[in-house]
């Protein structure tokens, strides 16, 4: 099944496809297609290439770099980018703090941060999760106490993805301990070079370094770096997480991985009717997810995602995991060792770290158990 496009949208799709396959570095696109980890420099180069052409943050307000596209055009942009193995713009910048600042930030904050955020001149980190306050984010304990024209911040954040690259961190802090826990939270923008701020790596089971702890010890943050009003952080957090949930359903890249698996495993698949049925089911569910994604963006109001964004997060991460499991099953023993790039076997061998890493997808952006509760309340009315 193909979504019917008007002649104008067909032309738009061709323009996006041509740009992504000719203007973004082939070296970077090959690394993405082969499942290899990108360097910081490659991520920055890719986003700056997109931003120079006005394609990094098309969903932002037009005065800050947005394009005023229709929701269908945004969908086409996203799908063609992923199909071409182009890295999506860094989520912390493009999908998280950027829209929050555009919606809630002061004029000074917008003027100072949004251009640098779009161009990845600032690499943002996300300071949300804490020990004992991950899925239950409202239980966070990092404190910010006002002292003159500064807040003094103390506490710890954990699982800070790519925090080792961070220049600034958007951070949820408790500014009022005496009210309902959701009501006493604020968002601060904190320079990661501040005295008293320390980033400590968390080594993963495969020896990789993707996540970190961030410690705050009497870190002084100017009051001017408060986003919105004091104690309004929960509203901003919900807005941000809604946008994040839309972004964690990467239909295009999941379809690309599934297509590659079908290509490499063709000889196995053709002789196994159960395996063929499994693949057909995945393809149908990806199509259903794609249509749901279109419905979510089409019915978002006031800059806030539709409640069905929780469906995208839930089903999108489950399908990512299911496709990664299929790849491991197709690769069999070839997935058990590391391999060099350049041959089909090494694509299978790199699939095991991906499979293991995607176990976290059920947790970040609000755990899938939490999403089921949101869906039951806001959509089903239970």
């Amino acid at each position: 099944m193909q979504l019917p496009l008007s002649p104008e949208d067909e032309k738009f799709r061709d323009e996006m496809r041509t740009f992504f396959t000719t203007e973004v570095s082939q070296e970077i696109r090959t690394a993405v297609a082969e499942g290899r980890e990108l360097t910081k420099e490659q991520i920055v180069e890719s986003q700056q290439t997109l931003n120079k052409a006005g394609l990094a943050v098309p969903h932002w307000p037009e005065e800050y770099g947005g394009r005023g596209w229709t929701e269908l055009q945004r969908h086409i942009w996203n799908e063609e980018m992923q199909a071409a193995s182009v890295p999506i713009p860094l989520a912390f910048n493009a999908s998280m703090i950027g829209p929050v600042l555009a919606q809630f930030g002061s004029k000074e904050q917008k003027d100072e941060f949004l251009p640098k955020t779009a161009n990845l001149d600032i690499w943002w980190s996300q300071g949300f999760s804490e020990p004992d306050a991950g899925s239950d984010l409202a239980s966070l304990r990092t404190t910010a106490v006002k002292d003159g024209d500064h807040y003094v911040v103390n506490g710890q954040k954990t699982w800070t993805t790519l925090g080792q690259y961070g220049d600034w961190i958007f951070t949820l802090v408790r500014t009022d301990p005496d009210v309902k826990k959701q009501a006493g939270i604020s968002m601060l923008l904190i320079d990661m070079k501040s005295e008293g701020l320390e980033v400590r790596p968390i080594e993963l089971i495969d020896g990789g370094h993707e996540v970190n702890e961030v410690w705050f010890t009497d870190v002084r943050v100017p009051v001017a770096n408060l986003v919105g009003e004091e104690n309004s952080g929960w509203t901003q957090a919900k807005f941000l997480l809604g946008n994040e949930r839309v972004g964690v359903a990467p239909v295009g890249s999941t379809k690309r991985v599934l297509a590659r698996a079908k290509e490499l495993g063709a000889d196995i698949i053709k002789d196994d009717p159960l395996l063929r049925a499994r693949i057909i089911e995945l393809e149908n569910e990806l199509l259903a997810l794609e249509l749901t994604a279109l419905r979510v963006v089409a019915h978002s109001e006031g800059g806030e995602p539709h409640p069905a964004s929780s469906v995208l997060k839930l089903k999108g991460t489950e399908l990512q995991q299911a496709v990664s499991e299929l790849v491991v099953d197709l690769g069999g023993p070839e997935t058990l060792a590391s391999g060099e790039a350049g041959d089909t076997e090494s694509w299978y061998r790199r699939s095991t770290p991906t499979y293991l890493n995607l176990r976290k997808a059920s947790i970040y952006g609000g755990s899938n158990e939490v999403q089921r509760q949101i869906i039951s309340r806001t959509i089903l009315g239970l």
Side-chain angles (χ1 to χ4, degrees):
M1 175 178 175
Q2 297 292 327
L3 296 175
L5 298 177
S6 68
E8 293 79 12
D9 287 327
E10 286 276 9
K11 180 181 177 182
F12 177 82
R13 184 184 65 181
D14 291 341
E15 291 172 353
M16 293 296 102
R17 185 172 295 174
T18 298
F19 178 87
F20 292 135
T21 55
T22 60
E23 298 299 321
V24 179
S25 162
Q26 182 62 55
E27 179 183 0
I28 293 174
R29 293 175 52 232
T30 298
V32 172
E34 293 180 348
R36 289 189 275 120
E37 185 175 341
L38 298 178
T39 66
K40 176 185 178 181
E41 290 73 23
Q42 287 175 316
I43 295 170
V44 172
E45 177 188 338
S46 176
Q47 182 155 335
Q48 290 183 347
T49 299
L50 297 182
N51 194 53
K52 184 178 180 180
L55 299 178
V57 290
H59 54 294
W60 288 13
E62 291 184 67
E63 61 266 36
Y64 301 115
R67 298 295 297 271
W69 287 344
T70 66
E71 302 299 345
L72 180 56
Q73 287 174 318
R74 282 178 53 188
H75 175 78
I76 293 170
W77 163 81
N78 191 37
E79 288 294 287
E80 292 300 329
M81 180 168 51
Q82 294 181 52
S85 300
V86 172
I88 63 172
L90 186 69
F92 309 115
N93 287 42
S95 301
M96 297 185 191
I97 192 58
V100 167
L101 290 178
Q103 181 82 0
F104 301 101
S106 66
K107 184 181 185 304
E108 293 75 17
Q109 289 171 346
K110 293 174 182 177
D111 292 344
E112 170 65 19
F113 290 113
L114 285 179
K116 298 175 183 177
T117 298
N119 201 49
L120 204 42
D121 295 323
I122 292 176
W123 185 297
W124 285 96
S125 296
Q126 181 180 16
F128 277 28
S129 294
E130 299 183 5
D132 302 320
S135 298
D136 184 16
L137 185 57
S139 296
L140 65 88
R141 293 179 292 187
T142 295
T143 60
V145 178
K146 189 177 287 188
D147 180 22
D149 58 357
H150 285 77
Y151 287 99
V152 180
V153 179
N154 284 278
Q156 175 193 1
K157 298 294 179 177
T158 194
W159 309 124
T160 306
T161 302
L162 303 179
Q164 69 269 30
Y165 301 149
D167 300 305
W168 284 72
I169 183 169
F170 51 93
T171 312
L172 293 182
V173 294
R174 187 160 302 284
T175 43
D176 189 342
D178 299 321
V179 297
K180 180 182 176 182
K181 59 185 182 180
Q182 288 90 345
I185 293 172
S186 300
M187 181 182 288
L188 292 177
L189 310 176
I190 303 178
D191 188 336
M192 294 185 74
K193 296 185 296 294
S194 300
E195 183 177 354
L197 189 153
E198 181 184 2
V199 179
R200 303 179 188 175
I202 299 174
E203 185 173 334
L204 302 180
I205 193 171
D206 64 356
H209 172 204
E210 182 186 44
V211 292
N212 305 265
E213 297 174 313
V214 180
W215 293 80
F216 304 88
T217 304
D218 294 331
V219 176
R220 298 186 66 82
V221 181
V223 170
N225 290 6
L226 173 71
V227 180
E229 301 295 326
E230 186 172 280
N231 298 324
S232 68
W234 191 246
T235 297
Q236 297 147 20
K238 289 190 296 182
F239 177 89
L240 183 150
L241 289 170
N243 283 297
E244 181 183 4
R245 287 167 194 147
V246 173
V248 295
V251 179
S253 60
T254 306
K255 286 165 62 178
R256 186 187 70 239
V257 173
L258 182 56
R260 180 64 168 158
K262 287 173 61 180
E263 177 187 354
L264 295 183
D267 289 341
I268 301 172
I269 295 168
K270 67 183 179 60
D271 295 325
D272 190 333
L274 293 179
L275 193 54
R276 293 200 301 272
R278 179 179 172 187
I279 291 171
I280 291 170
E281 183 177 1
L282 287 171
E283 290 176 329
N284 286 338
E285 291 191 351
L286 279 167
L287 176 59
L289 183 65
E290 182 176 12
L291 296 174
T292 302
L294 282 170
R295 187 168 73 249
V296 167
V297 295
H299 291 87
S300 299
E301 296 180 356
E304 296 193 17
H306 189 272
S309 64
S310 290
V311 176
L312 297 183
K313 196 280 176 182
L314 173 63
K315 196 62 182 178
T317 54
E318 287 182 345
L319 286 174
Q320 275 186 293
Q321 292 172 340
V323 170
S324 72
E325 183 176 351
L326 171 70
V327 174
V328 170
D329 289 346
L330 286 173
E334 293 177 13
T335 65
L336 297 179
S338 298
E340 297 298 325
D343 63 300
T344 56
E345 288 186 357
S346 56
W347 188 80
Y348 279 132
R349 289 173 181 170
R350 281 189 296 274
S351 67
T352 297
T354 300
Y355 166 80
L356 294 173
N357 191 271
L358 281 173
R359 300 310 98 188
K360 70 184 182 186
S362 304
I363 302 173
Y364 61 58
S367 74
N368 284 7
E369 287 76 13
V370 170
Q371 302 317 310
R372 290 185 176 92
Q373 293 178 4
I374 294 173
I375 291 167
S376 68
R377 292 196 303 267
T378 63
I379 300 177
L380 303 178
L382 301 178

